[in-house]
């Protein structure tokens, strides 16, 4: 038995067992979503980098959110697309744990970034005169680095705890990527410590941050209601509504996946929830921010106008030559 436990070198991701034709349809659909995710977040990242009017703490954190969304999609979607084309293609044990680590790192980091962004909104609306002092670039950089570091360290703890477990078969993971709970089901040893650490992490990385976000927005709501001018109140609601949409999508799906009773959500439903979390959320975030943020829309228009002017100037130069 001990020899079998040490010989595990690869896993098979079962993914969606729906037949070859439907797999091809899903491959095309998810490829389209993946492309939109990279393009949408890439455009936001480019606009923030190139437009000096967007060089503010709010867009600094938004750029980190765009990076996390692209990275999260890249950690799961390519493997899912490969499995749709070749369901029998295995993933190595090292590759599987690497995918688990990357997904958890980006998910934890996004949780913390959303909390930081809610605090940024709170300071901007409730303490506008002290905003530049409180949210200095030094503070913003420290908050961003802390979010990335804590997210990665917590993911590393999960992976280290998995490495201590023996795996002696079966080697089939009933998921479209190496999700931590699905991997633990294949361990032939006691996983109670892993389960306790996962639950504790959910409390600190989901419930705790969500409470902080709700506290921030309750303060923001009170501040907005105290604004006398209707136009000012409307503008304040508009500026933070996009972030609130992202928070609802992210925390809602994550809490249902990791903290709801599993008996109410069979494995196939869990796959759909993870699909929404890892594929749809990263695609929706740039759409929500670009459609509901006038400054991002303005930056996009300026970039397009600059590009059209540069092309026109290039053509004029060619005609003169």
């Amino acid at each position: 038995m001990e020899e079998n436990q040490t010989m595990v070198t690869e896993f098979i991701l079962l993914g969606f067992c729906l037949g070859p034709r439907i797999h091809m349809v899903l491959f095309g659909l998810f490829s389209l979503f993946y492309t939109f995710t990279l393009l949408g977040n890439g455009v936001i990242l480019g606009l923030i980098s190139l437009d000096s009017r967007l060089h503010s703490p709010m867009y600094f954190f938004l750029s980190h959110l765009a990076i996390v969304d692209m990275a999260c999609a890249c950690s799961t979607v390519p493997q899912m697309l490969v499995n749709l084309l070749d369901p029998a293609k295995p993933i190595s044990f090292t590759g599987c744990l690497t995918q688990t680590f990357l997904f958890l790192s980006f998910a934890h980091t996004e949780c913390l970034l959303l909390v930081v962004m809610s605090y940024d909104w709170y300071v901007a609306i409730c303490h506008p005169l002290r905003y530049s002092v409180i949210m200095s670039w030094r503070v913003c950089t420290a908050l961003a680095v802390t979010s990335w570091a804590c997210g990665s360290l917590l993911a590393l703890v999960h992976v280290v705890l998995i490495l201590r477990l023996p795996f002696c078969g079966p080697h089939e993971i009933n998921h479209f990527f190496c999700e931590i709970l699905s991997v633990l089901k294949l361990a032939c040893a006691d996983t109670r410590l892993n389960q306790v650490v996962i639950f504790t992490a959910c409390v600190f990385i989901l419930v705790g941050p969500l409470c902080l976000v709700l506290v921030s927005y309750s303060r923001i709501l009170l501040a907005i209601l105290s604004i006398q001018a209707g136009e000012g109140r409307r503008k304040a609601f508009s500026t933070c509504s996009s972030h609130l949409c992202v928070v609802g999508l992210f925390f809602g799906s994550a809490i249902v996946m990791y903290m709801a009773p599993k008996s109410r959500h069979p494995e196939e439903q869990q796959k759909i929830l993870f699909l929404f979390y890892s594929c749809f959320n990263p695609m929706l975030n740039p759409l929500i921010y670009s459609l509901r943020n006038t400054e991002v829309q303005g930056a996009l228009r300026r970039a397009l106008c600059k590009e059209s002017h540069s092309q026109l100037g290039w053509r004029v130069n060619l005609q003169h030559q």
Side-chain angles (χ1 to χ4, degrees):
M1 175 69 74
E2 188 65 28
E3 183 178 354
N4 291 334
Q5 292 176 1
T6 59
M7 290 299 292
V8 175
T9 59
E10 59 187 26
F11 292 108
I12 298 293
L13 293 168
L14 297 181
F16 306 97
C17 303
L18 300 173
R21 291 185 178 180
I22 298 182
H23 279 188
M24 290 305 298
V25 174
L26 292 178
F27 177 84
L29 188 63
F30 294 150
S31 297
L32 194 61
F33 290 160
Y34 184 53
T35 302
F36 284 154
T37 297
L38 297 183
L39 285 178
N41 287 287
V43 166
I44 286 187
L45 200 58
L47 290 175
I48 294 173
S49 301
L50 298 175
D51 197 315
S52 59
R53 302 184 190 184
L54 300 183
H55 292 175
S56 64
M58 179 180 72
Y59 294 104
F60 172 74
F61 294 126
L62 180 56
S63 66
H64 281 269
L65 183 64
I67 294 173
V68 169
D69 283 335
M70 288 191 292
C72 185
C74 289
S75 69
T76 57
V77 177
Q79 182 65 46
M80 178 179 63
L81 296 177
V82 169
N83 278 80
L84 286 172
L85 293 179
D86 187 5
K89 186 176 180 62
I91 181 173
S92 66
F93 182 82
T94 303
C96 187
L97 290 189
T98 300
Q99 188 181 53
T100 302
F101 170 76
L102 292 176
F103 177 79
L104 291 175
S105 296
F106 300 139
H108 295 155
T109 302
E110 185 163 358
C111 281
L112 300 175
L113 282 175
L114 290 175
V115 176
V116 171
M117 292 174 73
S118 68
Y119 177 71
D120 177 64
W121 282 116
Y122 162 73
V123 176
I125 293 177
C126 298
H127 303 284
L129 299 179
R130 300 174 54 201
Y131 179 78
S132 59
V133 177
I134 297 175
M135 299 302 294
S136 64
W137 282 113
R138 183 176 180 180
V139 171
C140 293
T141 303
L143 290 173
V145 170
T146 301
S147 298
W148 282 95
C150 290
S152 300
L153 288 175
L154 186 55
L156 185 61
V157 170
H158 289 303
V159 172
V160 169
L161 289 177
I162 292 177
L163 286 173
R164 72 183 180 88
L165 298 173
F167 290 87
C168 49
H171 300 161
E172 294 180 340
I173 299 176
N174 189 16
H175 218 295
F176 59 85
F177 77 105
C178 293
E179 192 272 325
I180 185 170
L181 295 179
S182 299
V183 173
L184 288 177
K185 290 179 181 178
L186 303 185
C188 47
D190 189 2
T191 61
R192 281 180 293 182
L193 177 60
N194 300 74
Q195 300 288 347
V196 169
V197 173
I198 290 173
F199 181 80
T200 305
C202 286
V203 172
F204 283 101
I205 211 73
L206 286 177
V207 178
L210 181 59
C211 292
L212 293 176
V213 170
L214 293 177
V215 169
S216 296
Y217 273 100
S218 63
R219 299 285 186 88
I220 291 172
L221 181 61
L222 292 175
I224 290 176
L225 293 176
S226 65
I227 299 176
Q228 298 296 328
E231 179 64 21
R233 185 181 299 179
R234 185 199 63 78
K235 185 177 180 180
F237 268 119
S238 177
T239 53
C240 62
S241 60
S242 58
H243 179 227
L244 195 56
C245 290
V246 174
V247 168
L249 288 171
F250 181 85
F251 282 98
S253 57
I255 288 175
V256 169
M257 285 186 299
Y258 283 103
M259 304 200 73
K262 295 298 180 288
S263 58
R264 298 183 181 180
H265 302 283
E267 289 182 337
E268 296 305 316
Q269 294 184 17
Q270 287 289 318
K271 292 180 188 179
I272 296 175
L273 288 173
F274 271 100
L275 191 63
F276 182 84
Y277 177 80
S278 61
C279 189
F280 297 145
N281 266 9
M283 182 183 66
L284 291 175
N285 285 354
L287 293 177
I288 291 173
Y289 277 106
S290 61
L291 291 176
R292 299 187 61 85
N293 194 305
T294 56
E295 291 182 340
V296 172
Q297 293 173 5
L300 181 59
R301 284 193 297 267
R302 288 191 295 272
L304 293 176
C305 290
K306 186 181 297 184
E307 180 67 21
S308 62
H309 286 317
S310 64
Q311 290 181 358
L312 181 61
W314 179 71
R315 291 175 182 175
V316 170
N317 290 334
L318 284 180
Q319 291 175 357
H320 283 298
Q321 291 176 359

